[in-house]
Amino acid sequence: MKRTIFAGIGHYVPEKVITNSDLEKWMDTTDEWIQERTGIKERRWVKEGQTVSGLAFEATKIALQRAQLAPQDIEFIIFASMESDVVFPGGGCFLQQKLEIPGVPSMDIRNQCSGFLYGLAVADQFIKTGMYKTILLVGSEIQSTGLDLTTRGRDMAVLFGDGAGAAVLTASNDADRGVIVTKLHADGRFTDKLWGEWPSITHHPRITAEMLETDRIYPKMEGRYVFKHAVTRFPEVIHEALNEAGYSIDQVDLVVPHQANLRITEAVAQRLGVGMDKVYSNIHKYGNTTAATIPICLSEAWEEGRIKQGNVVALASFGSGFTWASSLVKW
Ligand code: ACO
């Protein structure tokens, strides 16, 4: 059976840096509170006119160049994002337009922080069965335009950033490389613990002028509740992947968790019994970029030489839904 390998990985973040001090100007918060609770120092936010497909396109160009492939080599696009450039169609079609590869199938995955790993599981199945040999998997997010930048929304607004990461996945005959296992989970009992409620199709019409006056048009989270579930689910789903693959945590060279919060990452490292030197974190620079955090981390870790061919990398995510997932990859 074919194995799915990461032939190229790239990332792109917008140029505009928003520091914690910038946020202090708009809401009642402090650099100290944000750093202590989340580990975030700054994040990147888009400027007017930038799109999720545009960020994805920039990341894809880098991934393709590193894979030494051209857009025409892509046989299938998987686009993981909470958003699109418009309400519909999905962002994958906008990305395909930019890549100038009409006719190539494109699928959007809307699984929030777990979107990239759900996408990886789908891509891996297509490659294993021989349906496609080259798949573009992207995580791209613009959160900044949907946040409440007043004190009312400060618990969420300080956490999120914009960015994109892209992976060119190809089929390999090398049985000792590639995606070893992927594990996926969801629990819809917790949909309202972290969600964006309005505008909603349950209202007639979906959006009204009155809605815009309320805070229900902004994302909402029960922070402590999410924290508690995250620190349990991350190690659990990593162990699930390790057990299925017959690996121990000692055989893992690098753990790359979804970047939700540095405190969550530290708690996960502790529960896994590994030092932070074995866990990748860049949340201090980018905040939480939802489906984009894992590919951005992979791209930076690869650039820094922290992921080399032959290394075993454990990927894990947890987020809205709740959804959570993991994968073990031999690079
Ligand atoms: N600046 C200053 N004060 C704030 C801010 C802010 N940005 N946000 C909230 N506060 C205040 C609150 O109003 C509250 O004040 P009060 O005591 O007077 O009522 C106080 O700080 C404590 O608020 P809590 O929400 O209890 O703060 P907590 O210690 O739980 O930290 C946080 C909040 C960081 C969000 C935490 O709950 C957390 O890490 N949750 C995990 C969820 C997460 O990271 N989600 C990311 C998205 S989901 C994902 O990717 C998995």
Side-chain angles (χ1 to χ4, degrees):
M1 205 187 321
K2 299 283 183 195
R3 296 295 287 264
T4 304
I5 61 164
F6 281 73
I9 181 99
H11 74 280
Y12 176 79
V13 289
E15 287 76 23
K16 191 166 75 178
V17 177
I18 303 290
T19 63
N20 293 344
S21 316
D22 290 326
L23 296 176
E24 285 174 8
K25 291 178 219 148
W26 304 317
M27 61 191 80
D28 182 12
T29 191
T30 61
D31 175 46
E32 192 191 357
W33 192 98
I34 300 169
Q35 285 209 47
E36 193 188 302
R37 297 294 218 287
T38 72
I40 300 167
K41 293 183 178 170
E42 58 188 42
R43 71 287 291 142
R44 305 296 182 94
W45 283 1
V46 289
K47 61 181 184 208
E48 187 86 34
Q50 284 184 296
T51 58
V52 273
S53 70
L55 303 186
F57 183 51
E58 295 304 321
T60 299
K61 284 192 280 187
I62 297 166
L64 279 169
Q65 186 231 325
R66 290 175 178 170
Q68 298 183 315
L69 291 173
Q72 291 67 30
D73 295 311
I74 297 167
E75 294 172 316
F76 188 55
I77 299 170
I78 304 178
F79 192 88
S81 183
M82 278 170 59
E83 310 95 17
S84 176
D85 297 358
V86 292
V87 177
F88 68 87
C93 287
F94 288 94
L95 175 60
Q96 190 227 47
Q97 184 189 38
K98 290 183 170 65
L99 289 165
E100 298 180 38
I101 45 173
V104 170
S106 177
M107 180 172 82
D108 278 48
I109 292 196
R110 204 175 159 210
N111 274 41
Q112 299 70 243
C113 305
S114 299
F116 187 80
L117 293 188
Y118 267 71
L120 183 61
V122 172
D124 188 37
Q125 306 315 308
F126 276 135
I127 285 177
K128 275 184 187 152
T129 59
M131 178 128 172
Y132 299 118
K133 291 184 293 303
T134 306
I135 296 178
L136 172 65
L137 170 61
V138 180
S140 184
E141 302 282 3
I142 294 179
Q143 302 282 5
S144 59
T145 52
L147 299 170
D148 181 356
L149 299 183
T150 69
T151 296
R152 186 178 67 177
R154 65 184 178 175
D155 60 326
M156 291 295 270
V158 302
L159 300 175
F160 293 97
D162 306 333
V168 176
L169 305 168
T170 58
S172 169
N173 290 320
D174 186 347
D176 193 38
R177 277 189 77 191
V179 175
I180 301 165
V181 63
T182 50
K183 303 304 299 179
L184 307 178
H185 293 281
D187 192 338
R189 288 177 298 173
F190 304 111
T191 44
D192 63 350
K193 299 297 180 196
L194 173 54
W195 71 348
E197 190 188 0
W198 282 357
S200 155
I201 55 155
T202 57
H203 292 274
H204 302 250
R206 291 178 189 185
I207 188 158
T208 62
E210 293 77 55
M211 272 184 191
L212 299 179
E213 302 302 318
T214 77
D215 65 350
R216 288 172 72 181
I217 59 165
Y218 296 110
K220 285 276 171 312
M221 171 174 73
E222 284 186 37
R224 290 187 176 201
Y225 200 89
V226 174
F227 194 103
K228 270 199 249 168
H229 278 254
V231 297
T232 307
R233 293 307 190 188
F234 271 113
E236 185 183 274
V237 78
I238 290 171
H239 278 303
E240 191 185 358
L242 290 170
N243 290 342
E244 185 163 314
Y247 276 66
S248 76
I249 192 71
D250 298 336
Q251 291 170 281
V252 173
D253 296 292
L254 192 66
V255 178
V256 179
H258 161 61
Q259 307 286 295
N261 181 320
L262 183 62
R263 303 291 156 253
I264 293 178
T265 301
E266 286 170 344
V268 171
Q270 198 191 19
R271 287 178 187 212
L272 285 174
V274 299
M276 277 301 282
D277 56 325
K278 213 174 174 175
V279 182
Y280 199 81
S281 173
N282 59 13
I283 195 164
H284 56 289
K285 293 191 287 185
Y286 306 130
N288 179 346
T289 57
T290 317
T293 71
I294 291 177
I296 293 175
C297 283
L298 288 175
S299 175
E300 288 203 328
W302 180 85
E303 286 170 2
E304 292 161 13
R306 288 186 67 186
I307 300 179
K308 295 189 236 11
Q309 194 169 328
N311 283 166
V312 176
V313 185
L315 312 175
S317 65
F318 177 85
S320 170
F322 294 146
T323 58
W324 63 104
S326 66
S327 181
L328 212 57
V329 180
K330 191 160 183 189
W331 208 263

